């Protein structure tokens, strides 16, 4: 039995099926945009640990900062004995805040925890209860964030009842026939039929839906949400967990729209592979919860803070925002080229800002019908080629590309060649 197969059987015996892995291979080593499995196979990583590795696996600067922190202290609990890296990171995050005026930040461990806390802060500030979210959105797997997530299977199935006071409106996706006007009509309807604006604490939106299929929120929608939130005293939360830290070619995805949110949730690529998340927000809103109302034993762990400070340096020093734009342009060109060929499984709707690029796998016949089975074949074929790909989307037919922004041109070209082969073999 191969080592991967052996680990797979141990895994099946010890771990419940509710935790699904995309692949039956087990990591043993990784470096920037490559990883190796237990059988010694090499892969180019276009998944980046689900958008966590904008600075790649084990960036030398991140490792160095982590090693220095390991030698000093690894945990004190900020609520007991605070430490400088947490403070320094919140100072940096405040300067990066995608809104004008004073900002404060607080740190947690996971994306879901950041979203949970953003909702708590918005409720404390507004003294209101309800939250508006979007169909197709993803915000996490805790109960509140499952409620906010706009997709039933597999996220809410069997887990109800969901926390009350969460309302979904359609997210505009042109290829599904939903427009910005549809979304705004739905909000208008919601305010008349189900919840009065005076009960709404927050609207939460991903500037580009991640798990939902890499659909950018149109600037026109974000502007309308800003107007509604201003008129009704509602807090606008940008969930930047997947879009953050350079992926879209700007530090935060919402910066493409020119719209300023009130709270921003961050995680994933913030700490280059270490568990860290946070909320950046307008100071007046951030101060609403009482002392002791926010926190967590591991929240803002010092090793993760040290890693994040190094990540922020790397983004500047290696000009990763420019790199994201160049990478994205190259990848989109290549995909457009493949989309015009007729010797691969049909693909289309190449989209996404910066290096947050995705495309849909379609049934042949030109009707733009989603092909979820074909998508699975592409991903399996890619694995055989030595390429890690991830699917997403409401119809499970979107392939998203999340290669490290630090990937070399040589490996990018090799990865794209593997992708082409996978698309041809999946036909
Ligand atoms: N928000 C968004 C936009 C996400 O993409 C994710 C994770 N995919 C989360 C929240 C939840 O993050 P975590 O898995 O770290 O809890």
């Amino acid at each position: 039995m191969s080592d991967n197969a052996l680990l797979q059987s141990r895994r099946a015996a010890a771990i419940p099926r509710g935790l699904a892995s995309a692949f039956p291979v087990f990591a043993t080593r990784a470096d920037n945009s490559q990883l190796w499995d237990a059988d010694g196979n090499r892969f180019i990583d276009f998944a980046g640990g689900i958008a966590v590795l904008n600075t790649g696996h084990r960036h030398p600067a991140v490792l160095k900062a982590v090693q220095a922190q390991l030698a000093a202290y690894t945990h004190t609990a900020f609520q007991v004995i605070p430490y400088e890296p947490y403070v320094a990171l919140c100072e940096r995050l405040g300067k990066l805040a995608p809104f004008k005026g004073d900002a404060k930040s607080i740190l947690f461990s996971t994306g879901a925890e950041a979203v949970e806390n953003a909702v708590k802060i918005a409720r404390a500030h507004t003294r209101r209860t309800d939250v508006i979210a979007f169909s197709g959105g993803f915000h996490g797997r805790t109960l509140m964030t499952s409620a906010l997530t706009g997709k039933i299977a597999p996220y809410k199935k069997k887990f109800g009842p969901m926390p009350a006071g969460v309302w979904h409106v359609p997210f505009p996706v042109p290829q599904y026939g939903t427009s910005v006007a549809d979304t705004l009509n739905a909000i208008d309807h919601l305010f008349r039929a189900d919840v009065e604006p005076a009960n709404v604490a927050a609207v939460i939106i991903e500037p580009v839906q991640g798990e939902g299929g890499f659909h950018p929120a149109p600037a026109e929608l974000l502007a309308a949400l800003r107007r509604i939130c201003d008129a009704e005293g509602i807090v606008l939360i940008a969930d930047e967990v997947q879009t953050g830290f350079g992926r879209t070619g700007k530090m935060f995805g919402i910066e493409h729209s020119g719209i300023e949110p009130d709270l921003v949730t961050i995680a994933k690529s913030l700490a280059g592979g270490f568990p860290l998340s946070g909320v950046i927000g307008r100071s007046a809103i951030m101060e609403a919860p009482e002392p002791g109302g926010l926190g967590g034993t591991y929240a803002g762990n010092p090793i993760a803070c040290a890693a994040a400070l190094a990540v922020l340096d790397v983004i500047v020093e290696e000009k990763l925002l420019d790199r994201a734009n160049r990478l994205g342009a190259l990848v989109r060109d290549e995909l457009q080229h493949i989309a015009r060929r007729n010797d691969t499984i049909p693909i289309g709707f190449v989209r996404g800002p910066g290096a947050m690029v995705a495309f849909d796998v379609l049934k042949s016949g030109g009707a733009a019908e989603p092909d979820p089975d074909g998508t699975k074949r592409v991903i399996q074929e890619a694995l055989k080629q030595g390429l890690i790909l991830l699917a997403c989307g409401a119809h499970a037919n979107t392939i998203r590309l999340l290669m490290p922004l630090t990937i070399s041109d040589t490996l990018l070209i090799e990865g794209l060649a593997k992708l082409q082969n996978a698309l041809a073999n999946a036909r």
Side-chain angles (χ1 to χ4, degrees):
M1 202 184 243
S2 82
D3 288 352
N4 277 328
L6 192 62
L7 282 165
Q8 184 63 19
S9 66
R10 283 173 56 195
R11 181 214 145 100
I15 299 171
R17 62 184 187 144
L19 174 63
S21 296
F23 301 105
V25 303
F26 287 74
T28 53
R29 188 161 66 87
D31 181 51
N32 195 1
S33 43
Q34 301 180 85
L35 68 83
W36 288 264
D37 74 8
D39 292 342
N41 300 308
R42 165 188 170 265
F43 299 95
I44 296 180
D45 188 359
F46 276 14
I50 326 185
V52 168
L53 299 169
N54 289 355
T55 52
H57 289 275
R58 297 169 54 252
H59 192 289
V62 174
L63 291 191
K64 194 168 162 223
V66 164
Q67 273 152 3
Q69 187 57 47
L70 277 173
Y73 55 92
T74 60
H75 176 81
T76 63
F78 196 80
Q79 284 142 275
V80 181
I81 307 286
Y83 37 87
E84 199 264 349
Y86 189 121
V87 179
L89 182 57
C90 290
E91 288 168 348
R92 297 265 304 259
L93 292 172
K95 291 202 183 89
L96 293 173
F99 51 79
K100 291 187 266 314
D102 291 343
K104 287 196 171 181
S105 303
I106 182 165
L107 303 174
F108 303 98
S109 303
T110 67
E113 221 184 339
V115 172
E116 289 274 350
N117 281 281
V119 171
K120 282 170 66 177
I121 294 165
R123 282 182 172 171
H125 172 70
T126 57
R127 308 297 295 268
R128 303 174 179 179
T129 51
D130 287 22
V131 185
I132 298 176
F134 291 83
S135 54
F138 183 87
H139 301 287
R141 285 183 165 86
T142 58
L143 276 172
M144 184 62 184
T145 59
S146 297
L148 292 169
T149 289
K151 190 177 182 202
I152 291 171
Y155 306 122
K156 309 192 206 204
K157 208 171 161 180
K158 300 188 180 177
F159 299 139
M162 292 288 131
V166 172
W167 307 95
H168 287 97
V169 291
F171 188 87
V173 180
Q175 64 256 47
Y176 306 155
T178 331
S179 67
V180 170
D182 293 331
T183 304
L184 296 179
N185 283 337
I187 293 176
D188 187 50
H189 177 81
L190 186 71
F191 282 165
R192 280 181 290 113
D194 291 311
V195 56
E196 55 175 322
N199 285 342
V200 178
V203 172
I204 184 164
I205 187 164
E206 295 160 88
V208 181
Q209 278 197 340
E211 305 302 312
F214 279 32
H215 301 295
E220 183 195 349
L221 172 66
L222 293 168
L225 293 177
R226 184 69 272 174
R227 278 197 301 276
I228 293 168
C229 287
D230 287 342
E232 306 292 352
I234 298 169
V235 172
L236 182 59
I237 305 173
D239 184 346
E240 295 269 3
V241 167
Q242 192 150 166
T243 43
F245 302 101
R247 174 55 51 184
T248 70
K250 299 212 184 258
M251 190 58 84
F252 296 112
I254 197 149
E255 292 173 39
H256 289 277
S257 68
I259 297 306
E260 298 189 0
D262 302 310
L263 298 178
V264 182
T265 51
I266 54 174
K268 292 196 186 270
S269 275
L270 165 62
F274 290 84
L276 188 67
S277 69
V279 181
I280 310 173
R282 297 183 191 275
S283 292
I285 299 176
M286 294 295 282
E287 290 294 2
E290 303 289 328
L294 303 176
T297 304
Y298 293 112
N301 171 271
I303 297 171
C305 289
L309 288 164
V311 163
L312 295 180
D313 287 341
V314 169
I315 292 175
V316 176
E317 279 159 20
E318 298 187 17
K319 301 188 172 59
L320 291 188
L321 305 187
D322 293 344
R323 177 76 181 145
N325 286 317
R326 275 209 304 128
L327 264 180
L330 222 143
V331 171
R332 274 190 300 274
D333 262 13
E334 184 67 26
L335 291 171
Q336 303 284 12
H337 175 75
I338 297 173
R340 288 191 294 271
R341 282 167 42 172
N342 53 15
D343 58 346
T344 71
I345 193 165
I347 67 166
F349 301 113
V350 176
R351 60 186 177 271
M356 193 162 177
V357 177
F359 60 92
D360 286 355
V361 178
L362 306 168
K363 291 204 170 132
S364 41
E369 205 187 321
D371 186 354
D373 292 332
T375 309
K376 281 193 196 126
R377 283 203 304 282
V378 173
I379 288 174
Q380 291 314 318
E381 288 296 333
L383 189 75
K384 285 189 209 156
Q385 300 279 326
L387 177 68
I388 308 284
L389 288 181
L390 272 185
C392 63
H395 303 282
N397 74 317
T398 299
I399 291 181
R400 52 178 154 171
L401 303 179
L402 289 163
M403 64 280 289
L405 305 178
T406 49
I407 191 170
S408 67
D409 285 350
T410 315
L411 282 177
L412 177 72
I413 289 162
E414 190 188 340
L416 290 173
K418 289 175 187 294
L419 175 60
Q420 276 199 43
N421 290 341
L423 290 167
N425 294 349
R427 193 163 158 240

